[in-house]
Amino acid sequence: MANKLILGMDIGGTNMRFGLVDERYCLSHFVIEPTQEVFCCADPMDMIKERIRAYCDEHLDGKLPDAISMGFPSTIDKTRRIVTSTPNVRALQNIAVADFMERAFKIPVYINRDVNFLMLYDILHHHLENQKIVLGFYLGTGLGNAISIGGNLLLGKNGVAAELGHIPMLGATDLCGCGNYGCAETVASGVRLEKIQSDLFPDTSIREMFTRHRDEPAILEFIDGLSIPIATEVNIFDPDYVIIGGGIPQMPDFPMQYLEESIHRHLRKPYPALNLEILYSIPKQENGVIGAGIYAFKRLESEDYR
Ligand SMILES: [Zn+2]
């Protein structure tokens, strides 16, 4: 039997990443394209469809893959057919992406939250497939979260479980991209770090924030702000493993040890504090695309998997 190929896609507000993933989760023909003009146009789905067709023409000699799997920085409905809401991309609200693309290409199309794909990749990378509870925290522009229980991604009644970035934080008052005020994402995210930079350290580039100011009170408070939602979820789930990823922990001189100490300070004693296992994701542009491929193979294997 021929090796199946999935077209994995990781679609963000700035870039869209494409790649072909085979049954051994090997990636080929990885491409990054800007998305700005896609989300400015009247019909972004038509434009993404054309980009997919052009990619298949170039890399598959015009043939189609066995399935398409697309990650969005969004909430997705429980059936995993509809992009329901996207805080940072206005054009991506309530769109039946899977139906649209299946009508266009006549092959299975799967969609999910981009952070779920990142965690599927990290579970593979760290050999955690047999662990019962794994929590993923992706600290980037927003505060991404994914929860895997018994090999399944936590879905919830409406498909919107694990929106950790939108738990309310006492004392936080800023407007969040979701429309609420005071979400964790307004204090524990790259957006917050940029605000600290512009308010307090305007002469420091964002890249040098930790190198130059890691011991200043505003930065220590920021790190503690990251640790609170993480520790909260760890205290709820008592996980086998925690994965921390995203762009912020990868910044030069990020105070990783202080973050771990802050998380530990808020954990219930003696457990889960005593034996919490934290692993780090190595953020590469390809991770979400490979994760999209892993997800599609799981869906092709089992009708119940979501
Ligand atoms: Zn929010």
Side-chain angles (χ1 to χ4, degrees):
M1 200 173 80
N3 195 0
K4 283 199 171 82
L5 272 183
I6 307 296
L7 170 56
M9 297 177 67
D10 181 5
I11 297 172
T14 312
N15 288 310
M16 174 155 69
R17 302 167 188 84
F18 296 75
L20 295 170
V21 183
D22 71 15
E23 283 173 281
R24 286 172 301 155
Y25 307 141
C26 291
L27 176 71
S28 60
H29 303 287
F30 181 69
V31 172
I32 303 179
E33 290 181 8
T35 40
Q36 200 183 11
E37 64 175 46
V38 171
F39 295 126
C40 286
C41 79
D43 202 336
M45 283 305 118
D46 263 332
M47 206 153 195
I48 293 175
K49 183 183 82 182
E50 290 316 312
R51 297 275 187 100
I52 292 172
R53 216 177 275 289
Y55 179 92
C56 293
D57 284 345
E58 190 174 347
H59 301 290
L60 285 169
D61 293 330
K63 290 202 264 308
L64 289 171
D66 292 280
I68 299 171
S69 183
M70 309 165 84
F72 291 91
S74 315
T75 52
I76 309 287
D77 78 311
K78 191 177 188 176
T79 63
R80 296 318 201 200
R81 308 289 297 169
I82 301 166
V83 170
T84 43
S85 158
T86 312
N88 302 313
V89 186
R90 200 177 287 246
L92 283 176
Q93 316 294 335
N94 200 25
I95 301 180
V97 175
D99 289 346
F100 178 92
M101 293 297 169
E102 284 188 355
R103 267 199 309 274
F105 294 108
K106 313 276 189 291
I107 56 174
V109 176
Y110 305 120
I111 64 171
N112 211 313
R113 305 158 74 227
D114 54 4
V115 282
N116 280 343
F117 289 170
L118 292 178
M119 189 164 72
L120 288 176
Y121 172 80
D122 283 329
I123 285 173
L124 175 82
H125 178 80
H126 290 292
H127 311 290
L128 304 180
E129 291 90 344
N130 297 320
Q131 300 299 327
K132 290 228 162 47
I133 301 182
V134 182
L135 307 177
F137 302 98
Y138 296 94
L139 315 172
T141 308
L143 168 57
N145 175 219
I147 299 172
S148 172
I149 300 181
N152 289 304
L153 298 162
L154 187 66
L155 198 57
K157 177 182 171 185
N158 302 291
V160 300
E163 283 293 300
L164 184 67
H166 304 281
I167 59 167
M169 300 284 270
L170 186 65
T173 53
D174 286 357
L175 177 63
C176 179
C178 76
N180 286 349
Y181 286 88
C183 291
E185 195 156 281
T186 66
V187 289
S189 69
V191 172
R192 176 67 181 181
L193 186 64
E194 280 174 10
K195 191 163 187 306
I196 294 171
Q197 183 235 358
S198 63
D199 287 353
L200 299 178
F201 310 112
D203 299 330
T204 302
S205 73
I206 193 85
R207 228 187 125 63
E208 287 185 310
M209 281 291 280
F210 297 118
T211 307
R212 294 183 58 184
H213 307 295
R214 56 185 281 165
D215 298 322
E216 309 243 8
I219 296 295
L220 296 177
E221 190 183 275
F222 171 71
I223 301 296
D224 205 36
L226 294 178
S227 78
I228 288 173
I230 296 174
T232 302
E233 195 167 279
V234 171
N235 281 337
I236 293 170
F237 282 93
D238 185 14
D240 295 280
Y241 282 91
V242 161
I243 299 164
I244 294 180
I248 292 180
Q250 289 297 311
M251 286 172 66
D253 298 302
F254 178 80
M256 200 71 85
Q257 197 185 334
Y258 186 73
L259 175 64
E260 288 196 16
E261 286 165 7
S262 298
I263 293 170
H264 197 268
R265 196 164 55 244
H266 297 298
L267 291 182
R268 184 78 168 85
K269 315 296 184 307
Y271 297 106
L274 207 53
N275 60 0
L276 181 68
E277 299 266 11
I278 299 179
L279 300 171
Y280 289 91
S281 131
I282 299 157
K284 294 190 301 305
Q285 301 273 3
E286 295 89 338
N287 294 4
V289 171
I290 299 171
I294 297 169
Y295 179 71
F297 281 115
K298 285 176 182 282
R299 294 282 306 260
L300 287 169
E301 220 168 80
S302 160
E303 278 189 11
D304 300 329
Y305 186 83
R306 286 290 180 277

